[in-house]
């Protein structure tokens, strides 16, 4: 499972950790593989930001991960929405998973996403590609306070200025079209 | 299949028409049932509206359907997003299915929905209930020109003023919490 | 000036407090009156809300004010945007003015409003009326933490459940069409 | 008045055409100058786009104008909102003024803008500068059908692909920070 972590919107590895007993939202690898070939899978993605006292974005957080090939890539907080789980719960769960328990994400009052990204296994349908599946991702910009300590599979979170996040060099470090997605998400908050 | 048409966001019966040969997005009843118990299923829902020359909503269209029990209910245009299909394609397909080939929906330039509704089989998690599944529905207000001739399972489309659409009597004719959803969607266009 | 406080979006009385010396955004009564008859005046309005840990609205705050006629009315946080002032600064200034220095408003990352209300002195043009002026109001839902102690001209802030805020009785206590506006603003956050 | 046309969000010259008799929204040059130094002035700006049958942006329209210095610049459709005029009316009026009577703009059902731009005479407060005034501009992406024939002060409208509109070369041809604004507005429609 860790093999395809790097190429995914599912930052915590889709099903690579134990689920609560009897949770129908947990899928075996075979089941997940079956479903992925037949249905769009719902994801959330989040761009963590630091805001100043009047709501301006001062810093943008990007996760740094290593691919199995030893390449370093940047990614957003991301993960699948499980059966029976609300979008807010999924958003909170993945933010906590990726940023650690001392980060305090301020989940927005509106669950309408900032942007919707449609990932397809076949290129050319949209700007976004995910070799494993057809994924529909609801994308949010989330203000985070506290201290971020990424979990195992992310090496670190890098906080950078909006300008740096929007630089060509940074955008190219995001995969599967997520450079475009980051640019669009930051546009919605005036960056 | 027609049995659960009335209680669904999936206005065209999820899989009740032939699919293109080899379309992996088409699911047998067993497969659909399997998937529905394990993953959130993505839907689109649309509120058809008539606009005047400067974009004000003059009329709201609601479908009138009969339930298997012989009850009449109001519903929105709605349906599942298939594997490999973009949200725009799904939106267009379901609008055409429900309003007929002489209706001309103006699919909005932004695919970010007006509202997101989360349906759960178990009540109390959200305002929306769907006995069959956990569905995540992206909701749009769509301007429609031309002539609407609903297909087989909708008896007719009723065009009414925004005030009438928002009246208590009308909202109560929508099921599964969609009265609330209609109210929220119309709020986004100033009604 | 306090005479028309109650009928206004401008909760702090437009110009009833001293401005920084030489601030061109400060207008004498005559100047304000001249301008108001010739240009749309920009306002911000805010619906203060309390959120739970995953961003759901748990409480809605409405200000209680007395009119010069001794009637009690509910109002939103509201006020004019001054020359040279950003929308964020105006939003923060009016929230602080109306809720007191111990309230901590979380100004949203996006300055795109939830709703736009157009007030006209002549009824019938829109749902919103302001006898004094043509005002264009950018409306936000703002999460507030801390303790709210309204200033002089608001008697108190009442926190109520979203259901209570949306009840017919409450909506009727807002003036100039703001019952509709409150309903629309809360719709955007799923209420 | 034509002298500052090029540097303005007000594409039709603010007050350079006769107004309806007795229209209080029409201001003399002195009055406009007085007001501009004391109040934020409300503008609308629009990015005209061509959509395909399922709502994807196929082309973006930019106006080509000559400055008094003989330089060519690109601009958006833009203009002031007059006293007593709704935002929809202002949007329609300026689109018709700038694109001609054979263009058919589809004013969106929601009057909530895609983006808000704050122009200040003094640089450094925001990304947007307007030497003449503090302007608050509500920005919309508007689908246009029909034939566009720009009026006198715009030489032509150029339709280009979203990629070309977003190229560095094009963005630099917009003035006062509007390259950023165009990028943000197009981001909201997935470009």
């Amino acid at each position: 499972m860790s093999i395809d972590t790097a190429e995914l919107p599912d930052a915590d590895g889709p099903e690579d950790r134990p689920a609560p007993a009897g949770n129908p939202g947990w899928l075996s690898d075979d089941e997940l593989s079956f479903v992925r070939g037949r249905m769009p899978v719902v994801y959330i993605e989040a761009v963590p930001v630091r805001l100043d006292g009047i709501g301006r974005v001062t810093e943008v957080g990007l996760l740094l991960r290593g691919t199995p090939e030893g390449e370093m890539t940047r990614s957003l907080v991301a993960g699948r929405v499980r059966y029976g789980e609300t979008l807010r719960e999924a958003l909170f769960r993945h933010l906590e998973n990726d940023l650690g328990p001392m980060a305090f994400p301020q989940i927005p009052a509106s669950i309408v996403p900032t942007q919707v990204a449609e990932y397809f296994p076949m290129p050319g349908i949209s700007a976004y590609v995910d070799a494993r599946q057809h994924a529909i991702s609801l994308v949010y910009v989330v203000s985070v306070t506290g201290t971020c300590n990424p979990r195992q599979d992310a090496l670190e979170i890098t906080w950078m200025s909006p300008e740096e996040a929007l630089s060509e060099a940074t955008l190219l470090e995001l995969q599967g079209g997520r450079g475009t997605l980051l640019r669009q998400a930051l546009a919605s908050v005036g960056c």
Side-chain angles (χ1 to χ4, degrees), chain A:
Chain A
M1 261 303 132
S2 63
I3 287 171
D4 68 1
T5 299
E7 62 189 7
L8 272 205
D10 196 355
D12 60 347
E15 304 292 337
D16 56 356
R17 265 174 298 281
N23 181 344
W26 188 89
L27 301 180
S28 72
D29 287 1
D30 280 357
E31 288 170 333
L32 184 63
S33 167
F34 174 85
V35 167
R36 276 183 168 157
R38 279 163 187 80
M39 295 265 288
V41 180
V42 187
Y43 278 78
I44 61 86
E45 292 184 269
V47 180
V49 295
R50 303 280 196 196
L51 302 182
D52 72 8
I54 55 174
R56 288 176 301 198
V57 173
T58 54
E59 291 186 305
V60 177
L62 290 175
L63 298 170
L64 188 66
R65 295 178 196 277
T67 66
E69 294 78 27
E71 208 185 342
M72 301 307 294
T73 64
R74 301 277 180 195
S75 67
L76 309 178
V77 171
R80 193 164 72 79
V81 180
R82 288 191 177 148
Y83 180 86
E85 183 182 50
T86 66
L87 288 166
R88 295 180 181 286
E89 289 164 345
L91 199 46
F92 188 83
R93 175 169 63 85
H94 290 293
L95 282 160
E96 193 176 49
N97 271 351
D98 281 358
L99 303 182
M102 299 305 289
F104 301 109
Q106 318 289 311
I107 310 288
S110 168
I111 205 61
V112 174
T114 287
Q115 197 53 252
V116 179
E118 303 179 72
Y119 295 88
F120 291 95
M122 35 293 188
I125 301 183
S126 78
Y128 308 106
V129 176
D130 183 333
R132 302 163 309 155
Q133 62 191 340
H134 174 188
I136 296 175
S137 176
L138 307 183
V139 185
Y140 301 88
V141 176
V142 180
S143 163
V144 176
T145 60
T147 307
C148 297
N149 289 305
R151 289 178 324 104
Q152 59 267 36
D153 58 353
L155 292 183
E156 62 167 57
I157 182 166
T158 316
W159 292 99
M160 53 184 83
S161 69
E163 293 71 31
E164 192 181 345
L166 287 171
S167 71
E168 197 66 21
T170 306
L171 295 180
L172 286 172
E173 290 177 322
L174 288 120
Q175 304 202 319
R178 289 182 195 82
T180 299
L181 188 56
L182 176 60
R183 182 174 59 72
Q184 292 178 355
L186 290 177
S188 75
V189 290
C191 298

